[in-house]
Amino acid sequence: MKVSILLIGYNSWHFLQNNLKSLSFIEKRRDVEVIYIDNGSVDGTVANLKKMFPFVKVTVNKTNRGVAAARNQGFRRAVGEYIWILDSDTQVTEKSFKEMLAFMEKHPEVGLCGCKMFGDNGVVQDSCRKFPSIKAKFKAGINILLKKLGIYDPYAPKSHDYDKNQEEPFEVDYVIGACQFIRSTAQKKVGFLDENIFYGPEDADFCLRMKKARYKIYYLPHVPIYHAYQRVSTYHLFSKMNLKHIQGLIYYFRKHSKKNSHQ
């Protein structure tokens, strides 16, 4: 098996069906599998999947186990040389698939790569970033408050921004988990996603460990996909999921500051 495509979802059938339609090209390939881990959906996702997309290999959790735990279930089930993680609210093309695969085949030193993502408004999303810092997260929190007050400039440069107008692939700290094309041998060497992080910087943590294992992380600006980007923590400042995100960040900072202090 060449590629295992890994999807997870929680009451996300509205997005997932469009995602799977965009992946319809893989039905003619015998070297690609699609794995879906359901985190306790009650919106009919599982029944609809079995009826409309019978080629998808489904695992059902009784409860929402979080992003890291669900994706780890997918890692354990995947048998491909590469694992392509996609959020359920993404839509891809056969060209984007082939270009990411070709890049990874050509660059064995790269552990994983991500690509350029566009939203409904056509704006390029912040999908490649520098590793989280307390200072940057504090500024991000202030920006959310300013946005709610109507005085935030969404086009102002951010401290964690890379220049995404570059034409050639370039190395970054990390790419967000909405789209990660991962080398399976690298994943096995680095290990699983940290399940202590329910929702938050599990993608940054994974990429940091990938770099410590001497693999490179790349962003491919010439490869575009669509991403609806339904991030609850952005819009509901004091929601349950946002609190989970904050807990994940605190855990991330404590985890890596401890490791750094022992080096």
Side-chain angles (χ1 to χ4, degrees):
M1 189 71 67
K2 180 60 71 174
V3 180
S4 298
I5 299 174
L6 173 57
L7 307 166
I8 67 171
Y10 172 68
N11 293 333
S12 54
W13 174 244
H14 171 71
F15 294 108
L16 184 63
Q17 60 181 316
N18 291 324
N19 172 285
L20 288 168
K21 286 175 183 176
S22 77
L23 285 167
S24 61
F25 63 87
I26 63 95
E27 291 187 72
K28 60 189 177 186
R29 298 186 59 130
R30 294 187 177 182
D31 60 344
V32 181
E33 63 176 353
V34 180
I35 298 168
Y36 172 74
I37 311 296
D38 188 81
N39 260 337
S41 297
V42 293
D43 64 346
T45 293
V46 175
N48 288 329
L49 265 178
K50 291 179 179 179
K51 181 179 179 181
M52 296 176 62
F53 303 100
F55 62 88
V56 177
K57 299 174 182 178
V58 181
T59 296
V60 180
N61 294 324
K62 293 182 179 179
T63 59
N64 188 349
R65 297 190 60 197
V67 173
R71 283 183 173 154
N72 284 342
Q73 287 177 278
F75 281 154
R76 292 185 180 96
R77 189 167 182 178
V79 296
E81 294 176 40
Y82 299 95
I83 303 172
W84 191 14
I85 287 179
L86 288 170
D87 270 3
S88 58
D89 57 0
T90 57
Q91 293 177 42
V92 303
T93 64
E94 184 172 10
K95 184 178 179 182
S96 61
F97 167 79
K98 287 182 176 179
E99 288 185 340
M100 295 184 82
L101 176 60
F103 178 84
M104 293 298 287
E105 294 270 65
K106 189 177 179 180
H107 299 278
E109 75 280 7
V110 177
L112 69 84
C113 70
C115 66
K116 184 173 285 186
M117 299 185 197
F118 293 90
D120 290 326
N121 56 5
V123 174
V124 177
Q125 297 175 352
D126 189 25
S127 58
C128 63
R129 304 174 181 175
K130 296 178 182 177
F131 287 124
S133 69
I134 294 174
K135 182 178 178 181
K137 288 300 177 182
F138 178 77
K139 285 184 177 180
I142 294 297
N143 285 336
I144 291 174
L145 290 173
L146 292 176
K147 185 176 181 179
K148 288 182 177 292
L149 294 172
I151 55 176
Y152 170 68
D153 179 6
Y155 300 104
K158 305 175 184 68
S159 60
H160 54 268
D161 269 356
Y162 285 96
D163 179 10
K164 301 175 191 66
N165 293 319
Q166 299 180 53
E167 295 181 1
E168 297 297 320
F170 57 92
E171 190 173 357
V172 297
D173 280 357
Y174 80 102
V175 294
I176 65 171
C179 176
Q180 291 182 338
F181 207 103
I182 305 166
R183 191 178 305 279
S184 291
T185 52
Q187 183 273 311
K188 287 179 174 61
K189 183 175 181 180
V190 171
F192 296 106
L193 295 169
D194 192 328
E195 295 185 17
N196 289 299
I197 304 173
F198 183 90
Y199 170 73
E202 78 288 332
D203 46 11
D205 174 80
F206 186 66
C207 288
L208 180 55
R209 289 187 284 128
M210 190 76 72
K211 281 180 171 284
K212 288 180 178 179
R214 301 186 181 279
Y215 287 101
K216 294 181 178 180
I217 313 296
Y218 263 76
Y219 176 77
L220 312 186
H222 63 288
V223 180
I225 68 170
Y226 169 78
H227 184 209
Y229 199 52
Q230 298 297 304
R231 184 175 173 183
V232 293
S233 63
T234 301
Y235 303 104
H236 304 286
L237 193 58
F238 301 107
S239 68
K240 181 179 178 181
M241 290 305 292
N242 196 48
L243 292 175
K244 291 282 189 184
H245 180 74
I246 293 170
Q247 289 172 354
L249 283 169
I250 293 171
Y251 171 82
Y252 172 90
F253 291 133
R254 285 179 174 172
K255 173 182 178 179
H256 292 291
S257 63
K258 267 185 192 175
K259 287 189 175 181
N260 291 336
S261 66
H262 287 90
Q263 289 179 352

